[in-house]
Amino acid sequence: MPWKNSDTRYSTMSIALHWVMVVLLAVVYACIEFRGVFPKGSGGRALIVEMHFMFGLTIFVLVWLRLFARALGVAPKIVPAPPPWQAALATLMHVALYVFMIGTPVLGWLIVSAQGHSVMFYGIELPPLIGENKDLAKQIKEWHELSGTVGYWLIGLHALAGIYHHYIVRDNTALRMMPGKRATP
């Protein structure tokens, strides 16, 4: 699996990580949205919340692999080149997405730690990041939920930008990240 980007396309590793993380983000959001289907204290609700934690931490691990793959080379060129303001906006969006994918799982880990619960990650008990503090857990939970709401917007705007570039601008922005597609408009 190639780790380095070409001039026209992202590496197979970057493309695979991008789309796996899209699916994981959808699952993480679905878990939290559908937890209300199960009554509080039920095994079903506990399972869905545990899945939310586990997949959120999986995103945290995978984002570091994405950053590593990204550091191996430059991004493939967009043809035709966007105006400088669009390139700057795209950079800000990517930074915001990476901060979201790193910060939100850390906030979740902090909540569970402050609640005094064990954080399980595929059967491995992770160390608490902070000591038990129920009041702090409530405050961090508010930040985590706010981050999740901001994440909806970031992901939605990112997807809309890809659609805009593909169907309106007709450049190769989206094609560079599509599996099995040539990266020419």
Side-chain angles (χ1 to χ4, degrees), residues 128-145:
L129 295 179
I130 55 176
E132 187 172 343
N133 184 333
K134 304 282 186 185
D135 291 331
L136 182 59
K138 289 177 187 173
Q139 186 176 5
I140 297 170
K141 184 177 180 190
E142 290 176 15
W143 299 338
H144 182 72
E145 290 172 355

Side-chain angles (χ1 to χ4, degrees), residues 51-128:
M51 286 174 48
H52 175 78
F53 293 150
M54 191 171 61
F55 291 134
L57 287 172
T58 302
I59 290 167
F60 177 76
V61 170
L62 293 179
V63 75
W64 293 106
L65 284 175
R66 283 192 69 184
L67 287 167
F68 174 73
R70 188 177 179 115
L72 289 176
V74 296
K77 291 182 177 25
I78 298 173
V79 179
W85 69 268
Q86 273 188 5
L89 201 55
T91 299
L92 283 173
M93 174 58 82
H94 284 105
V95 167
L97 283 165
Y98 282 115
V99 167
F100 162 72
M101 291 184 290
I102 292 168
T104 307
V106 169
L107 288 170
W109 191 348
L110 285 167
I111 293 166
V112 177
S113 297
Q115 289 172 336
H117 300 299
S118 298
V119 178
M120 298 302 291
F121 184 62
Y122 296 101
I124 300 168
E125 185 173 346
L126 300 178

